[in-house]
Amino acid sequence: MSQFLPEAILPYLPDTIQIIYLVATFFFIRGLKLLNSPATARKGNQFAALGMFIGIVVTLFDQQIVSFEWIIGGVLIGGLIGAVLAKKVAMTAMPELVAVFNGFGGGASALVAWGEFSRLVDPTTMTPDSLVTTGLGVFIGALTFTGSFIAFGKLKGFISGNAITFPGLNVINIGSMIAVLVLIGIFTFDPTNQTIFWIILGLSLLIGITSVIPIGGADMPVVISLLNSYSGIAASMAGFVIGNNLLIISGALVGAAGLILTNIMCKAMNRSLTNVIFGAFGGDSGGAGAGEDGDKTVRETSAEDLAIQVAYASKVVIAPGYGLAVAQAQHVLKEVAQKLEERGVQVKYGIHPVAGRMPGHMNVLLAEADVPYDQLLDMDQINPEFKTTDVVLVIGANDVVNPVAKTEPGSPIYGMPILNVDDAKRTVVFKRSLSPGYAGIDNPLFYAEKNQMFFGDAKKSLQALNEALNDV
């Protein structure tokens, strides 16, 4: 594109491009900062999108790679697909969409590294550091690509959410990773050996599959966050390969943010990242619920009875979970909350860090129904308030309110911080059945004396409660 610019400007073009890259980086960082709060998240996305737009435009001045027809065509097609997905994909399917985005991001980075290497007539002209980053870019990008699509399959249900493993799998995975790193070292000293390059690519694709398959469904949110970090690191590696500072910085930002989020989620589950990757914990939530042997009492409630309880309460806390998202019940929940507030009831929402299938899932879901941001309290904020709460409505949540996390050292979720809903005067659990959650264990909260079960689809149950409130 530089051939279209005045000749007097050309000497200053490289420095100008780097300055504009710095401006784009500012938009990325500002966007990440604004994503910290649901109230500013939309603006944060807009800042980041503007930064990416600036980066794409200025790169046209920096790199003469393909013709404008291909670039414009790619932008139009990608933009159209993005717009359709933004409108059509339901909130319940957002984790799957994020997994796909991670996969495409990793795959694109691997292709960039491979493309830069393959276009050279003499690969030995590449510096050792460029060869190392090429190998790492292919390794991390390819691993992210296949791993993300395995995660997508587990979330979507056409791959079992149970941990799929066999003896020695962890040893094979670790051995394969070490082998790839050794091969990258060999490739750095002998880049003319194309066979080694393809072995690196093949092993990396395989590692992505074998490293995600043994991870159970309960840990998929952590895996998605980790793969998101991988995609950023792969992009950063690709930036080193092609010498693009903006790609290096933006990839590093994504990689760091993903690792921080992964660490936060592991703390919220009281588990180490090593345990998540190698522990084979959690699976499908379709198992039979304990307590069906008749030795535990379940107390059911009705819409009419519950309407009286909440209408005359002083404070009601709502603890949402994935069941709320599946039923798409956030809008009718807002109507129920609004009617309670009109009666003078104080309504708040307790959000567990890993409620749903990805971080922030519940926040976005409730924001979609225009629930006020100041009513959304995280776990540390809401837990002290349960002791002064009259009724807690647990809607579609399970493991994040399971008291065995505090009482049974032998439980797989022991030590996991939970919403202390059992401290409230009354809990009401909205659930289809007594089946366990992703952890695959029974929840004694269901049988507690001060708990009541409201069986059925969350949306239909809330609609019945909403109608019953009209008669109280």
Side-chain angles (χ1 to χ4, degrees):
M1 190 166 182
S2 57
Q3 64 264 33
F4 300 111
L5 298 174
E7 195 169 324
I9 297 177
L10 294 180
Y12 305 100
L13 186 58
D15 291 337
T16 303
I17 286 172
Q18 298 307 317
I19 291 172
I20 298 175
Y21 276 163
L22 191 61
V23 173
T25 300
F26 163 77
F27 280 104
F28 287 147
I29 295 173
R30 181 59 179 163
L32 278 173
K33 175 64 177 176
L34 292 173
L35 288 174
N36 277 338
S37 167
T40 57
R42 186 186 297 271
K43 188 178 292 185
N45 271 323
Q46 293 169 348
F47 265 87
L50 179 58
M52 182 58 69
F53 177 75
I54 293 172
I56 291 173
V57 171
V58 76
T59 299
L60 300 181
F61 289 87
D62 188 30
Q63 300 288 337
Q64 297 292 311
I65 300 174
V66 292
S67 64
F68 279 101
E69 291 82 0
W70 286 103
I71 292 173
I72 294 172
V75 170
L76 291 176
I77 294 172
L80 178 62
I81 293 173
V84 170
L85 290 176
K87 292 289 184 181
K88 297 294 184 182
V89 175
M91 269 304 303
T92 49
M94 201 55 63
E96 291 96 311
L97 182 62
V98 172
V100 170
F101 283 162
N102 291 342
F104 283 143
S109 298
L111 286 174
V112 168
W114 170 70
E116 183 69 10
F117 171 73
S118 63
R119 76 184 182 90
L120 296 175
V121 177
D122 182 10
T124 58
T125 58
M126 293 184 72
T127 60
D129 57 332
S130 294
L131 289 168
V132 170
T133 52
T134 297
L136 290 174
V138 170
F139 171 43
I140 301 171
L143 181 159
T144 304
F145 178 75
T146 51
S148 294
F149 279 95
I150 293 297
F152 168 79
K154 281 178 171 281
L155 290 170
K156 202 68 177 174
F158 59 80
I159 297 177
S160 173
N162 291 319
I164 303 172
T165 185
F166 54 83
L169 179 58
N170 287 337
V171 175
I172 292 173
N173 284 335
I174 295 172
S176 298
M177 291 180 188
I178 294 173
V180 168
L181 294 176
V182 170
L183 288 171
I184 290 174
I186 297 173
F187 169 73
T188 302
F189 287 99
D190 184 16
T192 59
N193 192 333
Q194 296 283 328
T195 302
I196 292 179
F197 178 87
W198 293 113
I199 292 174
I200 292 172
L201 176 61
L203 272 177
S204 301
L205 292 170
L206 183 62
I207 291 170
I209 297 172
T210 57
S211 61
V212 176
I213 275 185
I215 301 176
D219 288 326
M220 276 304 111
V222 182
V223 173
I224 290 175
S225 177
L226 185 61
L227 289 169
N228 178 251
S229 177
Y230 287 170
S231 70
I233 296 171
S236 194
M237 291 295 106
F240 280 111
V241 172
I242 64 176
N244 187 292
N245 288 333
L246 182 62
L247 194 55
I248 294 170
I249 295 171
S250 59
L253 287 171
V254 173
L259 284 175
I260 292 170
L261 181 58
T262 301
N263 183 54
I264 291 172
M265 294 177 67
C266 286
K267 286 183 177 178
M269 298 169 68
N270 193 39
R271 303 181 58 217
S272 67
L273 183 58
T274 303
N275 184 258
V276 169
I277 296 174
F278 300 112
F281 166 76
D284 293 325
S285 56
E292 294 175 357
D293 54 4
D295 60 334
K296 296 178 182 178
T297 302
V298 174
R299 298 161 183 82
E300 292 189 48
T301 189
S302 64
E304 291 73 21
D305 179 58
L306 181 56
I308 294 172
Q309 293 185 57
V310 294
Y312 292 100
S314 296
K315 181 163 73 173
V316 172
V317 173
I318 298 165
Y322 186 65
L324 177 72
V326 171
Q328 287 290 287
Q330 64 270 28
H331 295 285
V332 64
L333 175 61
K334 171 66 186 314
E335 292 179 25
V336 169
Q338 194 167 0
K339 286 184 178 179
L340 294 178
E341 289 169 338
E342 290 171 356
R343 299 180 66 98
V345 180
Q346 185 182 19
V347 178
K348 296 184 179 182
Y349 298 78
I351 312 297
H352 192 279
V354 293
R357 282 190 170 180
M358 63 185 298
H361 197 174
M362 294 298 105
N363 301 73
V364 176
L365 192 76
L366 295 171
E368 191 180 71
D370 294 324
V371 173
Y373 299 125
D374 58 359
Q375 292 184 3
L376 305 180
L377 305 181
D378 63 31
M379 181 175 60
D380 293 334
Q381 292 173 309
I382 198 66
N383 271 345
E385 298 200 26
F386 283 121
K387 291 181 180 179
T388 58
T389 299
D390 297 301
V391 183
V392 177
L393 304 180
V394 180
I395 306 176
N398 197 327
D399 295 330
V400 297
V401 297
N402 194 331
V404 301
K406 300 182 293 182
T407 60
E408 295 186 15
S411 169
I413 64 170
Y414 180 71
M416 169 181 163
I418 63 168
L419 296 172
N420 296 324
V421 298
D422 53 329
D423 288 342
K425 297 174 185 177
R426 166 74 66 190
T427 57
V428 179
V429 178
F430 288 65
K431 209 169 183 297
R432 291 178 181 271
S433 68
L434 294 174
S435 62
Y438 267 124
I441 58 175
D442 192 25
N443 190 340
L445 176 69
F446 299 164
Y447 319 107
E449 187 174 346
K450 59 182 180 180
N451 179 70
Q452 294 177 333
M453 301 296 298
F454 196 165
F455 290 113
D457 173 81
K459 187 173 185 177
K460 292 179 180 178
S461 297
L462 285 168
Q463 286 172 338
L465 174 60
N466 194 34
E467 294 174 6
L469 284 170
N470 294 328
D471 300 325
V472 177

